[in-house]
C-alpha cells in the first residue's frame, strides 16, 4: 500500500505565494517589466533604476577625466609656449648673451618642449645644436649640464633627421649630423638606443642623395663614428655593428655608399661586423631582415669584405658569407638559372619563352664576383694560410670550406663548372706542401670517421645517417659530410675531363700513350684508393636507396603515431606521407643538398666509376655485387610483387602528376624588384615538392628492391636481372592482353568482347584492323610508320603483317604468326640504312642518331624556300622526329617480343637508354664517349689537352662548327656558342679542360638532343625506362642483339624443334640427316656457326639466357630429297628447311654456300 494514497482522486491544490503568474520565464524579464505584475514588477523597476544610477556615475567620472586631461594638456601647452618664448628670447638676444649661459638655459627647455611634428621646434633644435657645436659640448664636459641629458638630445636629433629631406634641407641636416657625431664622441651610450633609427635614416639619405653629394663626409662620419669609437664599451660597439648591418646594409640602392664604399670601409672592422652578423644569423635569418634585405646585406657585405685593409680572410667572414648564401640559396639560384645553350632543334612545345626572375644589377654583379677565379683562389690561399698547420686543423678547415663552396655551386648553377674548374686548378697549402685541390679534399675525405666506417662496414651507413643532429649545422657530423660532398662534386667533374689514358695511368696499368705528369694525372687516385672509394659509394648508395623510408621515417616518428593508429584512414595516411615528405625536404647537409640531391650525387659518382669499370675493367671480379644483402632465392618474386604494387599506385596517381607538371611549368611570380618569389608561388612550389617527395617516399617504402634495381643494378647478377626483365614483360603482356599471350588467342578474346568472332562489332573489327597492315618491300619503314603510328602504346599487342610486292600481290612464305619477326627486323634494316639518314655508324660500325639530321632537314627546307616557322616547316620537322620516335617503338617492340636484331649501337647512345628513367637528362657526356662518336675529333681533343705551348696561339674560342648540309651536297656549316658569349671567350691553358668538356657535351648531348629525345620517348612507350635502367651499355647491347660469347651447339640442339620427316618418333632418335647436321655444326668454326645462326634467325648471337629464350624456337624441317637443292630459311619463324642429304660433306658444302650466298625466301 502506497503511503501517499488517500483514497481521493481530486488533484491537490497548488498555492503560489510569490504573486507571479505562471508564465514563460523567457518572455517575462526585467527588460520588459510591463509583462509582469506584483513583486516581479517591483524587482524590474529596481533593476532599471540601479542601471540608470550607474550610468550617471560613469558619465560623471568620464567628464571629470576629460576635464582633468584637458587641464593637463592646457597647462603643458602653456608651459611649452612659455618655454618656447624663453628660448626664442634667448636667441633674439644673439650676441648679447654668452653662448655657454644660453646653452645651459636653453638645453633643458628644448629637451622638455620639443615636438617632432612642430617645424618651429626643429628650427630651435638646430639653433641649440649650432651652439653646442661651437662650444664642442663643453657644458656637458664641465658638468654644467648633466650628461644623461645627452640621451634625450640624441633621440630628438635622430627624430628630426627622420623629418628632414637631405636635398632641400641640407643645412639643417649638416648641423644635426655633426651634432650626433659629437654626442657619440662625448657619451656613446646616449646614442645606443637610437642606433637603429639613426642607421635607417642614414640609409635613406644614401639612397636619396645619389652617387655624389656635398654631405658625403658628414654621412660617412655619422656612419663610422659609432663603429670606430675606441672609448665606447664593448656592448655599445656590438650594438652599433648589429644595427649597422640590420638597419643600414639591408636597405636597397644605397647609391652614395655603393659609389664611395672604400671611404666608408675605413671605419668598418669587417671582423667585428662578421662576428656580429654571425651571432645574429645564429638566431635565424628572420631576425636580421626580410629576404630582400638579406640580399642587399649580402651584396654590401661582399663589397666591404673585399675592400678591407687586411687581406687575410677571417673565418667569421666566411661563416657569414656561407650563412647568408644558405639563407638565400633558392632565390639566388632562381635568378642565376638562365637557360643554358639549348639544342639546335627542339620540338615546338619547347620553344616557349618563360620569363625568369632577375636581380638588380648591383646585387647580381656583387654576387657573381664570388665565383671569380681570383676570389676562389684567394679564398683558398688566405684561409689555409690563416688556419693551416696541423693535419687535424686541415681536416676541420676542409669541412668548413666545403660548405661554402658547395653553396656557391648550388647558388650559381650556370657557373657551376667555372667554380669547379677554378677549384680544380687551385693548389692548397698544407703542412706537407701545396696539393692539388682534388688530392687535398681526398685526404680530408679519406680521414673522416664517416668514410672509414662506411667503406669497411656495409651496415655502418644506416647507423651514421640516423645520428644526424637535430640542429647544430656546424657540428662535426655536418662538417664531415660537407667534406665528402665537395670531394664527390669535384671528383665527378674531374672524371668528366679525364680520358682513359690519364685515368689508368694512376692505377699502374700501362697506357698506350706515356706522357708527362699533368694536373689530371696528379689529381687521380691509385688502385687502392679507388677500391676504397667504390666500396664507400656502394655501401652508402645502397643504404640511401634501400633504407630511404627508414631514414626519413625515423625523423618523422612522433609519440602520437607510434602505435600506428594515425594510419587507419586515408586522410591520416596522406598526412603522414606529407610529414615524411617535409622531412625529406629538411634532410639538408648544406644549402641545396637535401636528401634527394645527396642521393643523386652519390649515385652519379658511383655510376661514373662503374661505367668506366664496365668499359675497361680495373676492379676485381664481382666487386660491385651485394648479393649477401638479399635472399636471392626469393628475390625474383619479391621484385615482381613490388613492381605490380607500384604500377597500380602509379596508374592511380597519373592525373595528380599531370597537375603537378602544369604547376611546375608555370612562370615563377616574383615580388617587386625580382628578389623573391611571391608567397603564393613559394607555397605552391613547396606543395608540389612535398607531394612528389611523398610519392618518391612511397615508392621507396613499397619497393626498396626495385629502387636498387633502377639505381644500383650492378649489385645484382646480370642473369638475375635478365630474368626479372623477361618476367616484367610477361606480366605486362598478361595484364594488357587479359591473360591471352598467344596472338591468335588475344584476337579471339578481343572479338569475343565485341560481338563475337562471327559477327564482331565495329569496335572489335577496328581494334583488330588497326593491328594489321600490308607492307611493301622496299618501303617497309615508311609503310610501317603510316600503318602503325597511331597505335602508340598499342604496338605492344600482336600485329599481323602481310608482305606484298610492287603490284600489291601477297608474297609467298610461311606466316608463322603474322611474320612479325621478319617485319621488325626488316624495318630496322631499312631504317638504319645510310639512305634514310636517321642513324650513322662510327668506325666500329656502331650506330647512333645522326647529329646533323634536324639541321640538314632545315637546310633542305630553306633551299626549297619554305618560310621558317610556317606550317610546312613545322610539319617537316615534326615528321622527322616522328620517324625517330617510331623507330624507338620498333626497337622497343623487338625487346618486348624477345626478338634479337643484328644492330650494334654505340655505347654512349646505349648509356642514354640506361639513364632515361632518371629525372631530366641524367646522361653526362665525357671525352671517352667522344671517342666512339668521332675518333678524329677525340684525337684532336687529346692533342689540345696535351699541347705544350700557349693554347692562345691556336686562336680557339668557345664555339663549335656544325655541318648542316646533306652528304654529297656543297659543304655548309653553322657556328654555335658553347657558352654564353662564347665567340668572345678565348681558350687558354687553364680553361681548355672545360672547353674539351663542352665540345664533348655539344657533340654527344646538345646537337643530337631532339633526335635522341624522340627515339627514347618511343622506346619508353613500349619498354618501361625503369626496366632499361637495370642494365649498363654493354648489357643493353646483349639484350638487343644477343650474347656475343661462343655459340653453344649442344644448347641449341636441346632447344630445337623438328617437323615433317625430321620429327622425332617414339624411339626418341633423331633423323640421320639431323645427326649429320649437328656433327657439321660441331666441326664449324664459331664464325661459321654464327653465319648459320644469322641465316636462320637473322642475328648471329644467341639469346642471353640461352636458346630456350629464342622466340620462335629454332626449327628444322625437311626440304625434299633433291641433293642439289640448297638449304633455305624462313627467318620470320627461325626455320631451316634442310634437304635430306646423303653425306656430311655435301651437307656442309651446301649449307655454307647457302649461308654465304644469302639464299633466303623461296630460294632452292
Amino acid at each position: 500500500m502506497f503511503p501517499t494514497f488517500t483514497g481521493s482522486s481530486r488533484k491537490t491544490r497548488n498555492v503560489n505565494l510569490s504573486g507571479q503568474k505562471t508564465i514563460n520565464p523567457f518572455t517575462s524579464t526585467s527588460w520588459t517589466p510591463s509583462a509582469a505584475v506584483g513583486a516581479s514588477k517591483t524587482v524590474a523597476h529596481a533593476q532599471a533604476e540601479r542601471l540608470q544610477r550607474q550610468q550617471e556615475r560613469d558619465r560623471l567620472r568620464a567628464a571629470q577625466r576629460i576635464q582633468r586631461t584637458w587641464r593637463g594638456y592646457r597647462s603643458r601647452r602653456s608651459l611649452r609656449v612659455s618655454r618656447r618664448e624663453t628660448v626664442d628670447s634667448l636667441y633674439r638676444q644673439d650676441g648679447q648673451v654668452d653662448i655657454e649661459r644660453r646653452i645651459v638655459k636653453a638645453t633643458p627647455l628644448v629637451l622638455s618642449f620639443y615636438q617632432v611634428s612642430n617645424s618651429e621646434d626643429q628650427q630651435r633644435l638646430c639653433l641649440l645644436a649650432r651652439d653646442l657645436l661651437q662650444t664642442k659640448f663643453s657644458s656637458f664636459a664641465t658638468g654644467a649640464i648633466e650628461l644623461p641629458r645627452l640621451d634625450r638630445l640624441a633621440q630628438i636629433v635622430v627624430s628630426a633627421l627622420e623629418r628632414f629631406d637631405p636635398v632641400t634641407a641640407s643645412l639643417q641636416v649638416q648641423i644635426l649630423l655633426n651634432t650626433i657625431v659629437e654626442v657619440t664622441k662625448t657619451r656613446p651610450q646616449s646614442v645606443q638606443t637610437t642606433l637603429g633609427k639613426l642607421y635607417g635614416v642614414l640609409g635613406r639619405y644614401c639612397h636619396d642623395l645619389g652617387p655624389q653629394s656635398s654631405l658625403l663626409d658628414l654621412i660617412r662620419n655619422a656612419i663610422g663614428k659609432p663603429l670606430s669609437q675606441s672609448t665606447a664599451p664593448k656592448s655599445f660597439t656590438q650594438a652599433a655593428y648589429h644595427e649597422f648591418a640590420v638597419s643600414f646594409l639591408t636597405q636597397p640602392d644605397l647609391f652614395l655608399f655603393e659609389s664611395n664604399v672604400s671611404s666608408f670601409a675605413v671605419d668598418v672592422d669587417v671582423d667585428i661586423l662578421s662576428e656580429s652578423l654571425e651571432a645574429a644569423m645564429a638566431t635565424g635569418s628572420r631576425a636580421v631582415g626580410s629576404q630582400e634585405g638579406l640580399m642587399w646585406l649580402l651584396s654590401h657585405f661582399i663589397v666591404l669584405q673585399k675592400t678591407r685593409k687586411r687581406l687575410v680572410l677571417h673565418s667569421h667572414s666566411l661563416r657569414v658569407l656561407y650563412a647568408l648564401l644558405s639563407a638565400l640559396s633558392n632565390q639566388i639560384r632562381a635568378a642565376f638559372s638562365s637557360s643554358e645553350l639549348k639544342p639546335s632543334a627542339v620540338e615546338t612545345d619547347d620553344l616557349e619563352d618563360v620569363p625568369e626572375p632577375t636581380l638588380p644589377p648591383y646585387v647580381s654583379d656583387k654576387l657573381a664576383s664570388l665565383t671569380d677565379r681570383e676570389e676562389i683562389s684567394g679564398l683558398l690561399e688566405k684561409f689555409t694560410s690563416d688556419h693551416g698547420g696541423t693535419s687535424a686543423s686541415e681536416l676541420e678547415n676542409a669541412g668548413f670550406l666545403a660548405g661554402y663552396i658547395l653553396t656557391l655551386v648550388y647558388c650559381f648553377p650556370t657557373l657551376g663548372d667555372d667554380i669547379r674548374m677554378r677549384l680544380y686548378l687551385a693548389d692548397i697549402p698544407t703542412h706537407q706542401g701545396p696539393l692539388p685541390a682534388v688530392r687535398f679534399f681526398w685526404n680530408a675525405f679519406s680521414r673522416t670517421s664517416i668514410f672509414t666506417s662506411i667503406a669497411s662496414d656495409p651496415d655502418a651507413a644506416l647507423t651514421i645517417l640516423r645520428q644526424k643532429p637535430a640542429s647544430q649545422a656546424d657540428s662535426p657530423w655536418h662538417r664531415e659530410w660537407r667534406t665528402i660532398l665537395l670531394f664527390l662534386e669535384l671528383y665527378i667533374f674531374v672524371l668528366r675531363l679525364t680520358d682513359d689514358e690519364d685515368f689508368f695511368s694512376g692505377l699502374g696499368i700501362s697506357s698506350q700513350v706515356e706522357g708527362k705528369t699533368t694536373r689530371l694525372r696528379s689529381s687521380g687516385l691509385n688502385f687502392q684508393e679507388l677500391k676504397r672509394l667504390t666500396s664507400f659509394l656502394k655501401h652508402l648508395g645502397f643504404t640511401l636507396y634501400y633504407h630511404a623510408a627508414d631514414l626519413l621515417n625515423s625523423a618523422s616518428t612522433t609519440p602520437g603515431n607510434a602505435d600506428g593508429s594515425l594510419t587507419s584512414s586515408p586522410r591520416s595516411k596522406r598526412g603522414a606521407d606529407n610529414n615524411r615528405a617535409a622531412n625529406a625536404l629538411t634532410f639538408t647537409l648544406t644549402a641545396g643538398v637535401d636528401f634527394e640531391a645527396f642521393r643523386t650525387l652519390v649515385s652519379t659518382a658511383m655510376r661514373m666509376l662503374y661505367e668506366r669499370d664496365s668499359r675497361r675493367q680495373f676492379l676485381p671480379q664481382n666487386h660491385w655485387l651485394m648479393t649477401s644483402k638479399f635472399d636471392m632465392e626469393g628475390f625474383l618474386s619479391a621484385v615482381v610483387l613490388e613492381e605490380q604494387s607500384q604500377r597500380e599506385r602509379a596508374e592511380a596517381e597519373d592525373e595528380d602528376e599531370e597537375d603537378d607538371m602544369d604547376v611546375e611549368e608555370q612562370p615563377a611570380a616574383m615580388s617587386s624588384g625580382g628578389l623573391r618569389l611571391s608567397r603564393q608561388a613559394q607555397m605552391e612550389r613547396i606543395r608540389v615538392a612535398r607531394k612528389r617527395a611523398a610519392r618518391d617516399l612511397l615508392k621507396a617504402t613499397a619497393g626498396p628492391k626495385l629502387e636498387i634495381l633502377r639505381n644500383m643494378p650492378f649489385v645484382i647478377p646480370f642473369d638475375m636481372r635478365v630474368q626479372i626483365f623477361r618476367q616484367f614483360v610477361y606480366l605486362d603482356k598478361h595484364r594488357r592482353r587479359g591473360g591471352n599471350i598467344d596472338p591468335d588467342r588475344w584476337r579471339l578474346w578481343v572479338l569475343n568482347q565485341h560481338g563475337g568472332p562471327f559477327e564482331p562489332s565495329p569496335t572489335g573489327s577496328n581494334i583488330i584492323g588497326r593491328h594489321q597492315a600490308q607492307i611493301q618491300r622496299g618501303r617497309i619503314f615508311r609503310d610501317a610508320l603510316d600503318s602503325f603510328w597511331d597505335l602508340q602504346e598499342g604496338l605492344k599487342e600482336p600485329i599481323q603483317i602481310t608482305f606484298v610486292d610492287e603490284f600489291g600481290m601477297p608474297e609467298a612464305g610461311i606466316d608463322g604468326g603474322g611474320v612479325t619477326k621478319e617485319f621488325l627486323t626488316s624495318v630496322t634494316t631499312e631504317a638504319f640504312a645510310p639512305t634514310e639518314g636517321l642513324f650513322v655508324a662510327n668506325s666500329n660500325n656502331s650506330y647512333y642518331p645522326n647529329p646533323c639530321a634536324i639541321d640538314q632537314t632545315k637546310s633542305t627546307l630553306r633551299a626549297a624556300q619554305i618560310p621558317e616557322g610556317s606550317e610546312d616547316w613545322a610539319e617537316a620537322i615534326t615528321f622527322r622526329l616522328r620517324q625517330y620516335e617510331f623507330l624507338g617503338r620498333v626497337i622497343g617492340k623487338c625487346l618486348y617480343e624477345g626478338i634479337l636484331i643484328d644492330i650494334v649501337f654505340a655505347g654512349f647512345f646505349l648509356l642514354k637508354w640506361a639513364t632515361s628513367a632518371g629525372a631530366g637528362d641524367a646522361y653526362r657526356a665525357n671525352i671517352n664517349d667522344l671517342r666512339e662518336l668521332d675518333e678524329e675529333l677525340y684525337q684532336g681533343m687529346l692533342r689540345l689537352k696535351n699541347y705544350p705551348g700557349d693554347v692562345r696561339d691556336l686562336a680557339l674560342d668557345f664555339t663549335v662548327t656544325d655541318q648542316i648540309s646533306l652528304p654529297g651536297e656543297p659543304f655548309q656549316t653553322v657556328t654555335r656558342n658553347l657558352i654564353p658569349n662564347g665567340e668572345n671567350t678565348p681558350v687558354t691553358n687553364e680553361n681548355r679542360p672545360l672547353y674539351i668538356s663542352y665540345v664533348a657535351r655539344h657533340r654527344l648531348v646538345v646537337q643530337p638532343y631532339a633526335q635522341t629525345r624522340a627515339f627514347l620517348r618511343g622506346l619508353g612507350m613500349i619498354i618501361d625506362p625503369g626496366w632499361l635502367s637495370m642494365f649498363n651499355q654493354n648489357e643493353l647491347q646483349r639484350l638487343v642483339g644477343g650474347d656475343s660469347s661462343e655459340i653453344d651447339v649442344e644448347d641449341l640442339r636441346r632447344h630445337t624443334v623438328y617437323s615433317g620427316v625430321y620429327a622425332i618418333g617414339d624411339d626418341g632418335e633423331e633423323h640421320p640427316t639431323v645427326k649429320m647436321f649437328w656433327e657439321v655444326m660441331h666441326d664449324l668454326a664459331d664464325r661459321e656457326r654464327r653465319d648459320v645462326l644469322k641465316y636462320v634467325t637473322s642475328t648471329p648471337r644467341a639469346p642471353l639466357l640461352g636458346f630456350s629464350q629464342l622466340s620462335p624456337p629454332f626449327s628444322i624441317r625437311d626440304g625434299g630429297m633433291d641433293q642439289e637443292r640448297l638449304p633455305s630459311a624462313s627467318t620470320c619463324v627461325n626455320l631451316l628447311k634442310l634437304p635430306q642429304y646423303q653425306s656430311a660433306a655435301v651437307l656442309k658444302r651446301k649449307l655454307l654456300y647457302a649461308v654465304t650466298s644469302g639464299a633466303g625466301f623461296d630460294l632452292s
Side-chain angles (χ1 to χ4, degrees), residues 118-136:
N118 191 314
S119 59
E120 293 181 355
D121 282 356
Q122 295 172 2
Q123 298 304 320
R124 296 183 182 100
L125 176 62
C126 290
L127 292 173
L128 175 62
R130 186 184 60 188
D131 284 351
L132 290 171
L133 291 172
Q134 287 180 1
T135 61
K136 297 183 179 180

Side-chain angles (χ1 to χ4, degrees), residues 1045-1054 1078 1082 1086 1089 1102 1107:
S1045 59
E1046 185 175 348
I1047 300 297
D1048 187 344
V1049 176
E1050 286 303 315
D1051 182 52
L1052 177 61
R1053 187 174 189 174
R1054 282 193 300 271
W1078 292 118
H1082 273 291
D1086 187 64
R1089 293 176 192 170
F1107 286 100

Side-chain angles (χ1 to χ4, degrees), residues 49 67 100 117 154 169 172 212 265 277 292 345 354 389 470 503 523 747 1035 1102 1118 1145:
E49 290 172 357
Q67 292 173 6
E100 291 285 354
S117 58
Q172 293 91 332
Q212 298 297 329
L277 275 173
E292 183 176 354
V354 179
F503 180 83
S523 299
R747 296 185 186 98
E1035 293 166 347
D1118 66 291

Side-chain angles (χ1 to χ4, degrees), residues 764-802:
S765 300
N766 181 53
I767 293 174
I768 299 299
R770 292 175 62 206
H771 289 78
Q772 296 176 342
Q774 287 192 340
I775 305 297
Q776 179 181 333
R777 291 194 183 274
R779 47 171 296 135
I780 296 176
F781 179 58
R782 302 209 170 206
D783 284 354
L785 178 61
D786 294 338
S787 301
F788 294 126
W789 170 258
D790 292 334
L791 275 183
Q792 298 196 25
E793 195 178 8
L795 192 62
K796 289 183 177 182
E797 271 63 82
I799 55 177
Q800 197 164 19
I801 305 298
T802 302

Side-chain angles (χ1 to χ4, degrees), residues 20 29-30 33 36-50:
Q20 300 183 31
T29 67
S30 60
V37 295
S40 62
K41 185 175 182 180
T42 303
V43 172
H45 276 297
Q47 290 176 343
E49 290 172 357
R50 187 162 56 249

Side-chain angles (χ1 to χ4, degrees), residues 1058-1083:
Y1058 306 99
S1059 60
V1061 174
Y1062 295 152
I1064 297 178
D1066 296 336
D1067 59 356
E1069 290 291 325
E1070 293 175 340
H1071 191 277
T1073 304
V1074 171
K1075 291 182 179 180
M1076 280 194 299
F1077 172 78
W1078 292 118
E1079 291 173 3
V1080 168
M1081 287 292 289
H1082 273 291
D1083 293 340

Side-chain angles (χ1 to χ4, degrees), residues 899-910:
I899 296 172
L900 302 179
I901 58 175
D902 190 20
I903 299 291
V904 178
F905 292 101
F908 70 85
F909 181 52
L910 289 168

Side-chain angles (χ1 to χ4, degrees), residues 799-869:
I799 55 177
Q800 197 164 19
I801 305 298
T802 302
F803 284 110
V804 299
D805 58 22
E806 57 182 334
F807 303 106
M809 298 299 294
E811 187 177 288
I814 300 174
D815 190 323
V819 214
T820 299
K821 179 175 178 291
E822 174 74 10
F823 163 72
L824 292 174
T825 54
S826 298
V827 168
T828 56
T829 301
E830 190 173 299
F832 284 91
T835 53
E836 287 292 332
L838 293 172
F839 277 71
V840 292
N842 60 19
S843 57
N844 296 323
N845 206 32
S846 299
Y847 286 88
Y848 56 89
N850 180 8
C852 306
I854 299 301
D855 284 332
Q856 290 170 346
T857 301
K858 290 181 177 181
S859 179
T860 303
L861 294 173
R862 292 190 189 99
Q865 297 183 350
I866 296 177
E868 189 168 350

